[in-house]
């Protein structure tokens, strides 16, 4: 009968309430009071073991109340409450309901028996909770102590769901299911409607904080500053600013930049069952849905409604997964991938039906890859005097832009409707970020690419305003690689024309009589050596330019055309375009800094030779000094050429470019490259015509 008076106190202790028999000690522990001294030590241990459930119950109930109060009191003045923690609290509350039902069963059992039963008969009703409540209380304590939320809380639950104890595994899986309800709601909001439902920054898709500054920088630089033209600017002829609401403009002004840099995957917030490829597919789908929901014409409005109706059907598949107790990662991946495929097809239809995609690719080839040869020949002729001098900081861009526009009027570019989208700009190399800095699509923004330098006009770069929605295929990182290819090919073309000008100057010096201007004629040996060196340099530079134009750009563009023609969705077309650009960068060796360093040294020797011949023509240097300077130019050129040729021959580069063997064969025409490996004549010896020239006569004709 001793336990008959103790059981009511025990029932209260089981739900966290203390009295005379059970008291609360430090850290919330509930134990049998010392005044109850008539129980045996084993019985005291059993009673304390049951009372500990009450302490865990009180801690869990306090967590549920605090989380619920935080969610209800979210008025915007405080940081938003964690939706995942609120979901966890909902799951814990469900567990506590089951526990309270078990305590009520104990009470009913005691009332039914009348006489006080042994402790073991009471304990059997609560055996399962002796394993569950301590673990759940430990989990809740970890969540509160470390401030876990979102994926961190789900990982902690996922670890416990792998427990070997069936009861604990089932309980953790149920708590994880509650948290997944929040995840599925966020997924539905993003995948179906393109909206981020994430006030607490717990979803693995995040809005980028760095998306706005490039737009501001582009607007500050003027109408030609942006490589993409927003839909609003395309309609109104503007370049990027004005007319929109404060803080970033209308949704249409924001779209192009938002697609490329508006959202990102947060690796730290990836849930345990979501892989990185699946997360990237989720990111793509949400961005595509945002694009498809923004029509710009009546036809596009009908198309957007049709697309949205198809996407809404996907919500049923997501709801079916959401209702499952334990949806697998494979099921979620399959569901997301099926939507990605569908949305990619809808986006591809939008791009194909509204734009001439191949015309845009052709324009990029004509202007960024120098395929419109008559225009660039005319431009280099127009700008020859300007490029021969130093750029004037205040007027350099306007001066070169004028020559660029005038060249179009004298070439086939005049009839090209897409030429107006291209602009030539100049940016000093020492311009800092505080002065505006290079735009996000500038070649210098691509850290993996190295373009050989040539002279003070290296700051020239090309821009293109791409029509909406083609900007989706031309992100800043791709445009920066286009810009790097243009700089590389344009500089090679400039060097090639400069060396051709040297040939004309040497011919004029050969036919000039001393009585014409009082300048003595060049010694025959010096003139022959200059002609031979010019021909060797021109042979190398012209073959490099030919390799890029024919073997790299021409062949790669044919592959791009075939890939785009066979593309079934937007992702396939985007991947084909990126492969096309990356392949050209790789075949041009722009991603090999060491090789580009040797090429830069070669271009520097070409520039020195051109400057030396100009000084000779102006009578600013005598023959002896010119011979000494020529020896230095010749020695360095042969050394760098030999190293560059050996790298190309090594076989390490054969996998990246199938046309490399053709380039090597051209460079070694008549054994030219092999003879470059012979020892260079030391300074002080007579300057004689070199026998290493690829052609038969050093000065007999232009190579």
């Amino acid at each position: 009968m001793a336990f008959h008076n103790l059981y009511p106190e025990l029932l209260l202790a089981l739900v966290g309430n203390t009295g005379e028999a059970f008291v609360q000690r430090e850290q919330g522990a509930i134990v049998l009071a010392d005044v109850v001294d008539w129980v045996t030590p084993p019985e005291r241990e059993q009673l304390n073991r049951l009372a500990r459930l009450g302490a865990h119950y009180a801690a869990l109930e306090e967590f549920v109340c605090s989380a619920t109060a935080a969610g209800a009191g979210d008025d915007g003045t405080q940081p938003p409450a964690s939706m995942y923690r609120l979901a966890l609290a909902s799951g814990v509350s469900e567990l506590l309901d089951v526990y309270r039902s078990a305590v009520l069963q104990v009470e009913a059992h005691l009332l039914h028996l009348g006489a006080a039963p042994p402790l073991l008969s009471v304990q059997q009703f609560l055996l399962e909770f002796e394993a569950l409540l301590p673990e759940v209380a430990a989990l809740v304590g970890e969540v509160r102590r470390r401030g876990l939320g979102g994926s961190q809380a789900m990982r902690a639950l996922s670890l416990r769901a792998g427990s070997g104890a069936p009861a604990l595994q089932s309980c953790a899986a149920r708590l994880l299911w509650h948290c997944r309800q929040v995840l599925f709601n966020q997924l539905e909001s993003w995948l179906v409607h393109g909206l981020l439902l994430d006030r607490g920054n717990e979803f693995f898709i995040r809005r980028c904080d760095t998306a706005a500054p490039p737009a501001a920088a582009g607007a500050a630089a003027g109408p030609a500053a942006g490589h993409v033209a927003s839909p609003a600017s395309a309609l109104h002829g503007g370049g990027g600013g004005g007319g929109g609401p404060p803080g970033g403009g209308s949704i249409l002004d924001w779209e192009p930049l938002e697609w490329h840099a508006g959202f990102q995957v947060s690796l730290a917030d990836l849930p345990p069952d979501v892989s990185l490829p699946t997360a990237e597919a989720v990111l793509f789908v949400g961005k595509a849905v945002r694009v498809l929901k923004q029509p710009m014409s009546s036809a596009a409005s009908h198309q957007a409604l049709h697309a949205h109706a198809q996407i809404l059907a996907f919500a049923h598949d997501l709801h079916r997964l959401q209702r499952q107790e334990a949806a697998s990662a494979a099921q979620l991946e399959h569901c997301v991938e099926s939507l990605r495929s569908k949305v990619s097809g809808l986006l591809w239809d939008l791009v194909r039906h509204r734009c001439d995609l191949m015309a845009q690719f052709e324009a990029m080839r004509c202007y960024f890859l120098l395929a419109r040869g008559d225009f660039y020949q005319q431009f280099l002729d127009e700008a020859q005097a300007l490029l021969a001098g130093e750029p004037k900081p205040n007027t350099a861009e306007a001066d070169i832009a004028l020559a660029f526009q005038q060249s179009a009027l004298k070439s086939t570019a005049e009839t090209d409707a897409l030429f107006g989208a291209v602009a030539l700009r100049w940016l000093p190399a020492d311009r800092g970020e505080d002065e505006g800095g290079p735009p996000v699509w500038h070649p210098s923004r691509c850290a993996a690419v190295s373009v050989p330098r040539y002279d003070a006009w290296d700051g020239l770069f090309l821009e293109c305003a791409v029509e909406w929605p083609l900007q989706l295929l031309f992100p800043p990182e791709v445009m920066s690689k286009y810009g790097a290819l243009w700089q590389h090919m344009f500089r090679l073309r400039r060097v090639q024309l400069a060396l051709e000008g040297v040939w004309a100057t040497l011919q004029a010096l050969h036919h000039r009589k001393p009585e014409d201007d009082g300048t003595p004629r060049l010694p025959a040996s010096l003139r022959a050596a200059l002609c031979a060196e010019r021909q060797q340099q021109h042979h190398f530079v012209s073959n490099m330019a030919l390799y890029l134009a024919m073997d790299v750009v021409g062949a790669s563009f044919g592959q791009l055309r075939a890939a785009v023609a066979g593309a079934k969705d937007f992702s396939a077309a985007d991947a084909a375009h990126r492969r096309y650009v990356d392949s050209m960068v790789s075949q041009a060796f722009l991603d090999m800094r060491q090789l580009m360093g040797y090429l830069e040294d070669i271009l520097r020797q070409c520039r020195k030779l051109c400057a030396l011949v100009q000084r000779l023509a102006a009578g600013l240097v005598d023959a002896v000094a010119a011979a000494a300077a020529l020896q230095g130019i010749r020695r360095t050129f042969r050394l760098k050429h030999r190293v560059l040729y050996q790298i190309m021959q090594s076989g390490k580069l054969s996998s990246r470019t199938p046309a490399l063997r053709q380039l090597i064969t051209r460079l070694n025409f008549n054994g030219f490259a092999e003879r470059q490996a012979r020892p260079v004549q030391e300074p002080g010896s007579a300057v004689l015509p070199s026998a290493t020239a690829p052609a038969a006569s050093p000065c007999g004709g232009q190579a």
Side-chain angles (χ1 to χ4, degrees):
M1 293 296 293
F3 287 109
H4 183 75
N5 296 326
L6 200 58
Y7 278 140
E9 292 275 349
L10 177 61
L11 292 174
L12 290 174
L14 287 174
V15 290
N17 298 310
T18 57
E20 295 180 355
F22 291 89
V23 296
Q24 192 169 21
R25 296 286 174 83
E26 64 277 359
Q27 298 180 351
I30 299 177
V31 296
L32 185 64
D34 294 336
V35 296
V36 184
D37 54 0
W38 42 265
V39 297
T40 63
E43 291 172 339
R44 179 178 290 273
E45 178 61 30
Q46 279 184 298
L47 289 168
N48 286 339
R49 182 177 171 182
L50 290 171
R52 279 196 289 270
L53 294 178
H56 295 316
Y57 172 87
L60 293 175
E61 190 175 39
E62 195 275 331
F63 168 74
V64 171
C65 293
S66 62
T68 306
D74 190 0
D75 56 359
T77 59
Q78 298 294 330
S82 169
M83 291 189 291
Y84 286 85
R85 198 176 300 182
L86 190 59
L88 177 61
S90 176
V92 171
S93 178
E94 184 180 272
L95 173 64
L96 294 182
D97 288 340
V98 178
Y99 173 74
R100 281 190 289 265
S101 298
V103 174
L104 289 175
Q105 289 180 6
V106 172
E107 184 180 18
H109 177 67
L110 294 174
L111 293 175
H112 176 72
L113 292 178
L119 281 175
L120 287 178
S121 67
V122 174
Q123 194 174 4
Q124 68 175 346
F125 288 93
L126 304 172
L127 280 177
E128 187 178 28
F129 295 99
E130 289 187 28
L132 291 182
L133 291 191
E135 287 293 332
V136 176
L139 169 67
V140 166
E142 181 184 0
V143 168
R144 301 188 71 173
R145 183 175 63 257
R146 297 173 53 191
L148 300 183
S151 63
Q152 292 83 5
M154 293 183 69
R155 287 195 192 98
L157 285 169
S158 183
L159 288 175
R160 286 167 173 82
S163 170
L168 180 57
Q169 184 178 6
S170 176
C171 178
R174 183 61 183 176
L175 294 176
L176 187 58
W177 179 86
H178 280 275
C179 291
R180 280 179 175 154
Q181 301 309 297
V182 178
L183 175 63
F184 276 105
N185 288 336
Q186 291 177 325
L187 283 172
E188 180 182 359
S189 175
W190 175 253
L191 293 173
V192 178
H193 306 287
L195 301 175
L196 277 181
L197 188 64
D198 186 29
R199 293 189 59 194
N201 289 330
E202 297 173 301
F203 192 41
F204 60 87
I205 302 297
R206 295 281 185 88
R207 184 179 288 277
C208 298
D209 295 333
T210 57
H227 86 284
V228 294
S230 67
S233 64
L235 289 174
H236 299 96
S250 67
I251 183 64
L252 293 180
D253 288 327
W254 175 249
E255 254 178 26
L257 185 60
E258 181 185 80
W259 173 266
H260 299 305
F263 301 93
Q264 64 181 357
V265 174
S266 175
L267 297 179
D269 294 303
L270 278 181
D273 293 336
V274 178
S275 64
L276 181 57
T278 302
E280 291 175 341
V282 170
L283 174 65
F284 170 81
V285 170
K287 294 193 301 181
V289 169
R290 293 174 69 87
V291 171
L292 293 171
K293 286 177 62 179
Q294 301 296 330
M296 292 180 55
S297 66
S298 57
S301 299
H302 177 74
Q303 185 179 12
L305 290 174
H306 175 67
H308 192 58
Q310 296 186 52
I311 295 169
L312 282 176
F314 168 77
H316 300 299
D317 298 334
L318 206 58
H319 289 159
R320 187 177 64 254
L321 277 180
Q322 188 173 5
R323 288 191 297 268
Q324 294 182 10
E325 283 293 329
S328 66
Q331 288 176 309
L332 178 62
E333 181 179 353
H334 174 74
C335 189
V336 171
E337 181 58 29
S338 63
L339 180 62
R340 187 210 62 78
S341 177
K342 181 182 299 183
V343 168
S344 184
L346 293 173
L347 198 60
W348 182 231
D349 290 340
L350 175 68
V351 172
R352 285 190 307 169
H353 292 163
R354 296 205 58 220
C355 307
D356 189 348
L357 182 58
M358 287 312 303
Q360 182 64 47
F361 286 147
E362 180 65 29
M364 299 299 292
R365 186 175 75 96
C366 287
Y367 299 112
F368 276 85
L369 305 177
L370 277 65
R372 195 172 289 276
D374 66 317
F375 165 73
Y376 275 105
Q377 182 64 46
Q378 185 64 40
F379 170 61
L380 288 170
D381 290 342
E382 290 281 342
Q384 181 178 6
L386 183 62
L387 295 175
E390 293 291 322
K392 300 176 182 178
N394 296 329
T395 62
E397 183 170 329
D399 294 340
I400 200 70
L402 179 61
F404 194 74
Q405 296 296 329
Q406 288 178 341
S407 302
L409 300 176
K410 303 176 182 179
S411 66
T412 56
E414 182 182 13
T415 59
D416 186 1
L418 292 178
F419 175 77
V422 180
L424 182 62
R425 295 188 57 208
W426 180 75
L427 189 69
D430 57 350
R431 184 170 177 177
E433 292 289 342
D434 54 341
E435 302 176 59
V440 292
W441 53 87
H442 191 273
S444 63
R445 296 284 192 176
C446 187
V449 169
S450 177
V451 183
R453 294 171 294 181
Y454 181 57
D455 62 5
W457 285 97
D458 287 347
L460 288 174
F461 67 98
L462 206 61
E463 286 184 341
C464 182
V466 183
E467 179 189 3
W468 175 259
L470 287 182
Q471 299 113 331
L472 304 179
L473 288 167
F474 292 89
E477 61 269 19
V478 169
M479 292 301 298
S480 66
K481 292 177 182 178
Y482 268 117
L485 287 166
W486 179 85
Q487 286 185 336
H488 183 42
M489 297 179 70
F490 183 69
R491 290 170 192 176
L492 283 176
R493 183 63 178 148
R494 285 186 60 199
V495 176
Q496 185 180 4
L497 290 181
L499 290 172
E500 292 173 3
V502 167
W503 177 86
T505 302
L506 289 174
Q507 291 298 311
L509 288 175
H510 176 62
H511 295 95
R512 185 171 60 183
K513 298 179 180 179
E515 56 270 17
D516 291 342
D517 54 5
T519 304
R521 295 185 62 181
L522 292 180
S525 59
L526 176 59
R527 175 184 159 275
L530 287 169
C531 288
E533 184 64 20
R534 183 216 72 87
Q535 194 165 359
Q536 293 171 20
Q537 293 184 1
H538 186 270
H539 171 75
F540 172 80
V541 173
S542 60
N543 277 296
M544 286 296 297
L546 178 65
Y547 161 75
L548 292 175
M550 300 298 297
D551 300 332
V552 175
V553 175
S556 298
F557 189 76
Q559 296 172 2
L560 173 67
R561 187 189 298 274
V564 171
K568 301 300 183 183
D569 57 23
F570 176 85
S571 297
D574 184 47
H577 183 219
R578 289 176 182 268
R579 285 196 304 269
Y580 163 68
V581 177
D582 291 340
S583 173
M584 289 191 296
V585 168
S586 177
Q587 293 185 73
F589 315 115
L590 292 179
D591 54 349
M592 299 184 64
R593 292 187 179 276
Q594 183 181 17
L595 193 147
M596 288 297 99
Y598 291 126
L599 181 57
E600 182 176 317
D601 291 336
I602 288 177
L603 298 185
R604 186 180 298 114
Q605 302 314 308
C606 296
R607 184 166 172 249
K608 286 182 178 180
L609 179 66
C610 296
L612 176 62
V613 172
Q614 293 300 325
R615 291 199 304 272
L616 277 171
L620 300 178
V621 63
D622 57 26
V624 176
L630 180 60
Q631 286 286 1
I633 293 172
R634 182 183 177 193
R635 182 187 307 105
T636 303
F637 174 78
R638 291 182 65 177
L639 174 62
K640 301 301 180 180
H641 182 278
R642 181 170 66 250
V643 174
L644 196 63
Y645 183 75
Q646 289 173 349
I647 293 175
M648 292 180 180
Q649 270 192 320
S650 64
K652 297 179 181 179
L653 305 181
S654 58
S655 60
R656 67 165 57 207
T657 167
L660 181 61
R661 182 55 53 190
Q662 300 179 34
L663 173 62
I664 293 174
T665 302
R666 292 193 195 105
L667 291 178
N668 196 34
F669 180 68
N670 281 345
F672 166 67
E674 294 175 356
R675 288 195 295 269
Q676 288 294 310
R678 295 178 181 176
V680 183
Q681 212 168 5
E682 293 299 324
S685 58
V687 179
L688 299 175
S690 172
T692 64
S697 175
C699 278
Q702 185 172 340

